[in-house]
Structures are given as C-alpha cells and as structure tokens.
Amino acid sequence: MTQAITLAAWILCFFVGGLLVTDFIRTELSFKQQKKDTHTEQEVSGYDSQQ
Amino acid sequence: MTPNNDRQARAPSVTRVLGPVHVWALGVGIVLVGDFMGWNLTILQGGSLAAILGLWTMSIMFAGQVMMVSEMATVMPEAGGQYTMAKYLLGPLAAFNVGLMLVLEYVMLEAGDVIVVGQLLNSLNPGLQVLPFTILTLLLLTFLNYRGAQATLTLNFVITAVAFSSIILLLISTNFYDPKATLLQLKERTNGLPYGKLGIMAAIGYSCWFFLGVEGTAMAADECRSPGRSIPLGGIVSLCTLVIGGTITWFVCSGLIPAGSLGTSVYPLYEAALATGKLFVAVALFVGSILACLASANGCINDASHAWAALSRDTLLPDVFAKVHPKYKSNYRAILFLLPISLAFAMTGLLDQVVTFSIFSALMVYLLTCLMLFRFRRMYPLGSIPRTFVAPLFPILPLVTAALVLCGLFGLHLNYGINLISGAVFYFLASLWFLNRRAKFLDQDRFLAAGMKAWGRPKNM
C-alpha cells in the first residue's frame, strides 16, 4: 500500500512536470514563430518600399 | 511582498478597493505559517524563556519596519515595496541586492514549507517516502502559479482563516482556563534560559520567523482606497494578530511538549495537538499545518517570481525572465527558473539551514530599510513632497529598529556563523557580477524616470 502511494506520487510528479515542460516548450516555440513572422514581414515591407 | 514594479500595475485601471481588513488578511496570510513550523528553533537556540522574550522583542522591530515601509511605500511611484524603495533611494546596486535578497528569502521559505509538508505526510506512515511528496507539492504549486495565481492567492485568505482557527481550537482543547483540568504543564516542560543572556540573543534572530514578511503589507498600497490609513493600520493590526498567535503557539507548545523535543520538532503545533491525545484536534492541526504551508509556499512562488521578473524588467538581470506568458499572463520563465533552485534546497531536507538563509536575507533587507528611511528624509525632507503617512519618532525609530536587526544578525551568527559568511560572500559575488556584467546595460535616466517625474530632483543630494 505504502509503495503504491509513493509510486503514485512519483507518477504525478512526472505528469505535472511533463505538463509544465510541454507548455513551456510550446510557448517558446510560438514566440520564436512570432519573431520569425515579424522578421519576414519587415523584410517584405522593406522590399516593397524599395520597389 | 511582491516587488512587482510592473508599470501596468500602476496604470489607472488598477482598482482601489482594498481597506485595512484586506491589508490585515494579506499580512497574516503570508506569515502565519511561521507559527506552524520553524519558530521552535528559538527554543533550541536559547531555551523556552528566550523564545518568548525574542518573540516580543522582535515584534518591536517589525512594528518599526511596518511604520518605516508605510511612510515610503505609500508615496513610491511604482508598486514593489523595498525593491522599489531601494531603486529610488539607494541606486541600482542596492536595488539589485534587495531584489535578490527578497527572491532568496521567498525561495528558501518555500523550500522550508514543502519540507514540512513532506515530513507531515511521512508522520502519517513512516513507510511513505518524503521526497516524492516534497517534489509533488512544489510542482503542483508551481503549476498553479504558472497558470496565473490570482484565484489561488484569494483562496489563501480562506486557508489562513482555517489555519488560525485550528490554533485557537488547540488552545481551547488544552483546558488552559481550568487549573485543575489543564493539560499544560509549563513549569515541568519548559527549560528557562539554559544558555543565559547569550541564548536570548540567539533566540532573537530566529524570532523573526513569527513575522517574516509582515512588512510586505505595504505592497498593497496601489490598490488601497486610502493607503495612508489602510497600510499602517492594517500592518499594525496584522502584527498584533501575529504577536497574539505567536504567544498562544509558544504557550500551548511549551506546555505540552518538553523543551528538548520541541526545539527539534519539524511541526511543533501538530505535535502539540498529538500530545493532547484528542483525535479531532490532531486532525485539525494536521490539516491546519498542511494548509498554512501550502498557502505560504504558494504566496512565496508568486512573490519570488514577481521579484525576479521585476529585476529583469529593470535590466538588472538579463531580460529573458521578464517575458509574460501569452495566455496565463504569469511570469512563466521566472517561475520555472526558480523551481529547481527551491527544489534543490527542499531536497536537502535541512530545515534549519533553509530557515537560516531565509532569515539572513530578510534581516539584510530590514537593515537596508532603516538606511533607506534616513536617505528618504534627507532627499525629500518632510513638507517637500506630499506624504500620506509619516513614521513617528524619527530618527529614534530607525536607529532602534536597526539595533534590533543587528541583534538578530548577531544571534544568528552564534550558531550559524558559517552560513552567514557564506550568505554575505554570495551577495558580494553577485554584486561583483552585477557591476561587471549588468551595470553597463543600465539606462539610469529611464531607471529613475518615474521617481523624478513624481517627486522632482532630490533637495539635498
């Protein structure tokens, strides 16, 4: 019983930790994508103004 | 306690709805955990009598802190308590150190809280491992804060009320009012002053634990209807509540547990409840202890991450930590960055070491607060800028408060001298790093712009 509770606590640790890490990576990737999009937009507008 | 100098926090949209009652709830809510764990180190250091003398002596120091912080915080152009005060009154290096000290004070307190939660669960069944529960508690609270902690902070107040009620229940259950039926045996179970006057000094340092962070009520200045009234009144009433709570805690625990075991207990109030032999009291104190620890750890994660992000926003740290989560609006990078640090300290299981470093960091901030009041009065003398509250008895008040803080530091050094030296070396090295690597990125004019706009140039500088 004690072992099962301890195991459950460890599994929950990995689950919650996993949720945190997954959301963090997703958020960082979305920021990176945003930055990339902004950069591309700036390049395109710069090209247009040159034209 | 939140050194959150987020400009948005000062925006006109901030609703001024808080009164003295809310400020009281904020002050007691953050600090009450001190009654459930950690305070009993005072008995280990100086004996039973030293513990109660230390508690009352330190209450004077905290009264001074509340009044000094109330004067300065209610006129600061940004929210953020001591960090913001240091920013405008002492400069970037001091602000960096105060910010760092606040972060470590909270991170260590958070580690202490989860150590106690793990130990409490272990007390139910010694077969249960402490480590997974300690880590799980920290991860769950981090997760809550990561997703935005406003709702949970509101819940903290309810949790605190339940926890405080459990202390009163314990007091009543001892039949203290009936000399014949009372369970309290103060004469037999206390040990007076085993280390003499030096023991009192040693206990004074740890007595901070009863009040650590109560001066943080001033952080709510922005949201108060009348900061000049609510902040000092709410702060002082919080302090009185904590003095009463601390005295009851000392009285009940000292009367139920022999001083030798009380000094080393991880959860003294819960042990006192077990000593009454009444199941419902034990259950109430078990729940009260867990709730108080969770409420405190939750508040600490929130405060520490706000402080870390504020340092980053002001360019005192690399700006990567200032990023706010697009969905949850939390300082998610700061929260995750501080998690392994707190986890590392929690995994050591060394409650006394963690408590010592937290108290040391807090005492350093308190010392700088005394210095800041002198500087504030010199830069902006009475009458030069509108003040909503004026700290009385200047300069006696900051001098006495500083003397008591120094007594606390001296007391800590008696048994944990190496820890204090390590702490001082850490802050010194951090300052060197700041001067060499960060100071060059600082835009002084932008850094002090809000203060200059609000008060104009200082008179005597």
Side-chain angles (χ1 to χ4, degrees):
Chain A
M1 180 66 180
T2 314
Q3 276 183 336
I5 294 173
T6 308
L7 183 67
W10 277 121
I11 291 170
L12 267 175
C13 282
F14 283 108
F15 178 69
V16 179
L19 282 178
L20 278 169
V21 172
T22 312
D23 190 84
F24 176 73
I25 293 171
R26 199 188 302 146
T27 310
E28 289 303 316
L29 286 176
S30 75
F31 274 132
K32 207 172 172 184
Q33 188 60 41
Q34 245 175 29
K35 210 173 167 182
K36 212 171 165 184
D37 291 347
T38 319
H39 190 68
T40 316
E41 267 174 35
Q42 276 173 350
E43 267 186 356
V44 169
S45 62
Y47 178 77
D48 286 348
S49 62
Q50 273 182 356
Q51 290 274 310
Chain B
M1 286 214 298
T2 311
N4 172 16
N5 73 334
D6 188 345
R7 270 88 181 149
Q8 286 170 351
R10 298 291 299 187
S13 60
V14 170
T15 46
R16 290 180 172 269
V17 291
L18 304 186
V21 176
H22 300 97
V23 177
W24 169 84
L26 184 69
V28 178
I30 292 166
V31 191
L32 190 66
V33 71
D35 286 359
F36 287 87
M37 62 94 163
W39 71 270
N40 49 319
L41 286 169
T42 53
I43 291 184
L44 185 71
Q45 302 299 325
S48 304
L49 198 55
I52 192 73
L53 289 175
L55 163 69
W56 292 336
T57 309
M58 266 306 167
S59 66
I60 299 169
M61 193 282 279
F62 277 92
Q65 285 291 328
V66 167
M67 284 190 267
M68 289 190 294
V69 170
S70 295
E71 175 173 335
M72 293 184 279
T74 48
V75 294
M76 285 289 144
E78 292 168 355
Q82 290 106 321
Y83 166 71
T84 307
M85 293 169 206
K87 178 178 163 181
Y88 291 112
L89 302 173
L90 299 177
L93 180 61
F96 170 75
N97 273 294
V98 168
L100 198 59
M101 284 163 188
L102 288 171
V103 168
L104 287 171
E105 177 190 338
Y106 302 136
V107 165
M108 297 293 159
L109 177 53
E110 176 193 331
D113 289 332
V114 295
I115 287 173
V116 176
V117 170
Q119 299 276 3
L120 270 168
L121 292 174
N122 179 260
S123 74
L124 289 179
N125 184 340
L128 284 178
Q129 285 179 28
V130 174
L131 193 61
F133 291 100
T134 306
I135 298 174
L136 183 61
T137 310
L138 206 50
L139 282 173
L140 281 172
L141 292 174
T142 302
F143 186 68
L144 279 177
N145 277 277
Y146 186 95
R147 294 178 68 100
Q150 291 309 314
T152 52
L153 285 180
T154 310
L155 186 68
N156 266 11
F157 299 149
V158 181
I159 289 176
T160 305
V162 174
F164 196 79
S165 309
S166 71
I167 300 178
I168 303 294
L169 177 71
L170 175 62
L171 175 69
I172 295 167
S173 73
T174 59
N175 303 325
F176 72 98
Y177 43 81
D178 182 359
K180 284 178 188 165
T182 183
L183 298 173
L184 302 176
Q185 293 176 311
L186 276 176
K187 271 187 186 168
E188 292 79 7
R189 289 178 179 148
T190 52
N191 62 355
L193 282 174
Y195 308 110
K197 287 174 191 165
L198 214 54
I200 300 178
M201 293 295 278
I204 280 178
Y206 283 94
S207 300
C208 289
W209 202 246
F210 281 109
F211 311 103
L212 209 71
V214 69
E215 78 291 345
T217 46
M219 308 295 161
D222 260 16
E223 293 154 72
C224 285
R225 284 189 298 268
S226 166
R229 177 174 166 267
S230 301
I231 295 294
L233 183 63
I236 292 293
V237 177
S238 294
L239 196 63
C240 293
T241 312
L242 290 168
V243 174
I244 293 167
T247 307
I248 294 175
T249 302
W250 177 89
F251 179 63
V252 173
C253 290
S254 298
L256 287 169
I257 311 171
S261 344
L262 182 57
T264 52
S265 172
V266 176
Y267 29 74
L269 269 175
Y270 176 53
E271 272 191 21
L274 291 175
T276 61
K278 295 172 184 172
L279 184 65
F280 73 97
V281 181
V283 171
L285 263 294
F286 179 82
V287 173
S289 300
I290 295 257
L291 290 180
C293 287
L294 291 179
S296 170
N298 191 32
C300 284
I301 294 173
N302 180 62
D303 291 349
S305 62
H306 271 99
W308 196 253
L311 285 167
S312 179
R313 263 192 300 275
D314 279 343
T315 66
L316 301 180
L317 284 176
D319 62 359
V320 288
F321 301 111
K323 204 88 177 167
V324 174
H325 195 287
K327 190 174 169 191
Y328 306 126
K329 309 294 173 206
S330 60
N331 298 302
Y332 74 107
R333 285 182 180 171
I335 289 172
L336 288 186
F337 177 76
L338 295 172
L339 170 67
I341 300 172
S342 189
L343 199 57
F345 283 100
M347 281 167 77
T348 63
L350 300 170
L351 188 61
D352 62 335
Q353 303 288 330
V354 167
V355 167
T356 304
F357 200 82
S358 183
I359 293 178
F360 171 67
S361 299
L363 285 175
M364 294 302 290
V365 175
Y366 298 155
L367 200 58
L368 287 171
T369 305
C370 299
L371 188 65
M372 282 190 266
L373 187 68
F374 278 108
R375 187 119 169 128
F376 186 51
R377 289 282 178 104
R378 193 162 168 242
M379 287 167 76
Y380 300 98
L382 290 179
S384 63
I385 56 167
R387 285 168 161 86
T388 47
F389 176 78
V390 177
L393 300 172
F394 183 84
I396 298 167
L397 182 79
L399 285 175
V400 170
T401 310
L404 288 171
V405 172
L406 289 173
C407 283
L409 282 170
F410 177 76
L412 278 186
H413 119 279
L414 291 174
N415 288 301
Y416 293 92
I418 295 291
N419 301 52
L420 260 62
I421 293 169
S422 310
V425 168
F426 170 77
Y427 289 120
F428 177 70
L429 291 176
S431 301
L432 283 184
W433 173 83
F434 175 77
L435 290 172
N436 285 323
R437 307 296 295 269
R438 294 303 307 170
K440 58 189 168 195
F441 297 113
L442 196 71
D443 180 352
Q444 279 274 4
D445 291 337
R446 218 187 92 202
F447 189 66
L448 300 172
M452 291 296 175
K453 198 177 163 192
W455 310 317
R457 288 224 159 259
K459 295 233 181 311
N460 299 323
M461 302 306 289

